[in-house]
Amino acid sequence: MLTEEQRLVDDAARRYSREVLAPGAAAREKALAIEPAVFEGLASIGLLGMTVSPDWDGAGADYVSYALALMAVAEGDGAVSTVMSVHNAPFCAILERYGSDAHKAEVLRPAARGEFIGAFALTESQAGSDASALRTRAVRHGDRYVINGAKQFITSGKIGRYTIVFAVTDPANTKRGISAFLVPTDSTGYSVSKIEHKLGQKASDTCSLQFDDLELPLAAMIGGEGEGYKIALSSLESGRIGIASQSVGMAQAALDAAIRYAGERTSFGKRLMDHQAVNFRLVDAKTKLEAARQLVLSAARMKDAGVPCLEQACMAKLFASETAEAVCSVAIQTFGGYGYVEDFPVERIYRDVRVCQIYEGTSDIQKIIIGRSLAA
């Protein structure tokens, strides 16, 4: 069902994941960081600008290839896959679609080549899925915008070289008063106020950001004034396909580990795999995970065909993220007490996958969007 190009992408991503990412995942978690060499490796096989046009130094891959690559990377290290996902979409995707020629030449090109990591700053302490509740303000003073406010739960807020920041430019207009800005993270007034200590994906930095009289030239605005809300929503399809892909990849790693263990460990004179209770549990997990995979690939194919697929992307993200947690739970149960300790990877993967039901829109938000189609 895959083209030769898609198979090549999948093979390259899986090889890198197997040889580099998986062996170092536990060490990255303990270090609370991803080593630069990992990003250099991802860039070398074109995974940090996957769907960006070759005109802007991207790989020009389709979304099926992107989904396959994210699944493969997530199998090796969920934290790395999160950084890869945010960098590709929304960061690069927004710059390619809405950025000025200068943004594309000066920022998108090196980003697509993987020379640095980009971040996306929309969420605030009181505004998660409800982007219209933003309090960060951008006030124009002559030929400058001055930004004041704060953001929370920002992936790569510390390691990113540029961040797409959303701020209110017209407080009187709820949704059309938001604008997007391309912000260099070394700007005066940009600071990381806190690095979150998380349940999982600890190697991927998740930060609170503070903006104190951060001055930007008018040219830093992405799109037109008041287009920020539209820009933020523009990457929903690709973003949710990405998180769904991550979910499948992490769950696959946990299931593979459980299947190997069940084939090696003996109990009551036979392999765990030969106990029907264990066998059936793994069969159910494998079947549900395959259903999740096909939902993801179906949404990706629709995206490639230019067909609106927000509903399908939401269904894929909802089902894949919730299935992934269940599959990881089955994996831990298969390992028994060993599954609950750090000696085996399923404990870490279980923690890493849990956030997939939260970021890029919670499961409840996915249901709200899907539910709208029922009354259409």
Side-chain angles (χ1 to χ4, degrees):
M1 298 294 292
L2 301 179
T3 66
E4 182 62 25
E5 184 175 344
Q6 289 164 351
R7 289 187 184 279
L8 289 173
V9 169
D10 187 42
D11 288 345
R14 289 188 178 283
R15 189 180 310 112
Y16 186 73
S17 182
R18 182 176 59 252
E19 295 176 359
V20 177
L21 298 182
R28 282 181 215 103
E29 179 175 71
K30 285 183 169 57
L32 305 179
I34 301 169
E35 61 272 34
V38 165
F39 297 128
E40 293 169 5
L42 292 175
S44 71
I45 53 176
L47 300 188
L48 291 181
M50 284 201 69
T51 61
V52 175
S53 167
D55 292 341
W56 300 109
D57 294 349
D62 59 19
Y63 276 89
V64 170
S65 297
Y66 176 56
L68 292 169
L70 263 177
M71 289 179 194
V73 169
E75 283 188 41
D77 192 331
V80 173
S81 73
T82 291
V83 176
M84 172 184 162
S85 178
V86 172
H87 179 80
N88 275 280
F91 184 79
C92 286
I94 284 176
L95 286 183
E96 183 169 29
R97 183 171 179 181
Y98 293 100
S100 65
D101 287 343
H103 293 157
K104 293 176 182 178
E106 298 169 14
V107 180
L108 179 59
R109 278 192 192 280
R113 292 194 296 263
E115 294 180 10
F116 62 83
I117 293 298
F120 175 85
L122 176 64
T123 300
E124 298 181 2
S125 59
Q126 78 297 329
S129 296
D130 182 10
S132 63
L134 298 183
R135 293 178 183 168
T136 296
R137 297 286 186 262
V139 179
R140 183 171 177 174
H141 293 286
D143 63 350
R144 314 287 286 178
Y145 277 98
V146 179
I147 299 181
N148 283 281
K151 298 291 180 179
Q152 192 169 17
F153 304 140
I154 307 305
T155 297
S156 304
K158 178 184 177 183
I159 67 170
R161 186 180 299 178
Y162 287 88
T163 301
I164 296 176
V165 176
F166 294 83
V168 176
T169 47
D170 182 3
N173 199 324
T174 304
K175 293 183 179 179
R176 295 183 181 178
I178 300 171
S179 300
F181 299 87
L182 182 60
V183 181
T185 58
D186 61 358
S187 301
T188 301
Y190 180 107
S191 63
V192 175
S193 56
K194 180 183 180 183
I195 299 177
E196 302 292 348
H197 297 281
K198 303 173 295 183
L199 175 69
Q201 298 203 20
K202 297 182 179 183
S204 166
D205 64 285
T206 303
C207 304
S208 294
L209 305 178
Q210 185 70 36
F211 312 119
D212 296 303
D213 292 331
L214 171 62
E215 293 190 12
L216 296 171
L218 301 184
M221 181 177 286
I222 301 172
E225 186 168 304
E227 292 186 348
Y229 191 76
K230 177 182 73 174
I231 291 171
L233 297 182
S234 70
S235 62
L236 290 182
E237 291 178 351
S238 54
R240 287 168 185 176
I241 289 170
I243 304 305
S245 301
Q246 285 183 264
S247 301
V248 171
M250 284 184 264
Q252 187 66 61
L255 180 60
D256 288 346
I259 291 172
R260 286 194 300 271
Y261 185 78
E264 298 167 356
R265 179 68 185 264
T266 59
S267 174
F268 298 103
K270 57 183 178 181
R271 300 182 309 163
L272 288 181
M273 184 68 74
D274 296 326
H275 291 279
Q276 191 178 72
V278 176
N279 188 285
F280 278 13
R281 188 161 56 233
L282 293 172
V283 166
D284 286 342
K286 182 176 181 178
T287 302
K288 291 174 183 176
L289 185 57
E290 182 60 24
R293 187 190 319 276
Q294 295 307 322
L295 273 176
V296 176
L297 293 177
S298 177
R301 290 188 180 102
M302 291 179 70
K303 180 77 174 172
D304 285 331
V307 178
C309 61
L310 179 58
E311 182 181 2
Q312 287 74 19
C314 289
M315 287 192 289
K317 200 265 191 189
L318 171 66
F319 187 77
S321 62
E322 297 196 347
T323 295
E325 183 184 5
V327 169
C328 289
S329 181
V330 165
I332 288 177
Q333 196 69 22
T334 303
F335 275 88
Y338 289 116
Y340 201 68
V341 297
E342 293 181 355
D343 302 58
F344 294 88
V346 292
E347 175 269 343
R348 172 179 47 79
I349 297 170
Y350 184 82
R351 290 184 288 102
D352 284 351
V353 85
R354 182 59 182 84
V355 73
C356 291
Q357 296 177 56
I358 298 172
Y359 60 11
E360 198 66 41
T362 65
S363 290
D364 290 336
I365 290 297
Q366 310 308 316
K367 290 177 182 179
I368 289 171
I369 295 172
I370 298 165
R372 288 171 183 162
S373 68
L374 302 181

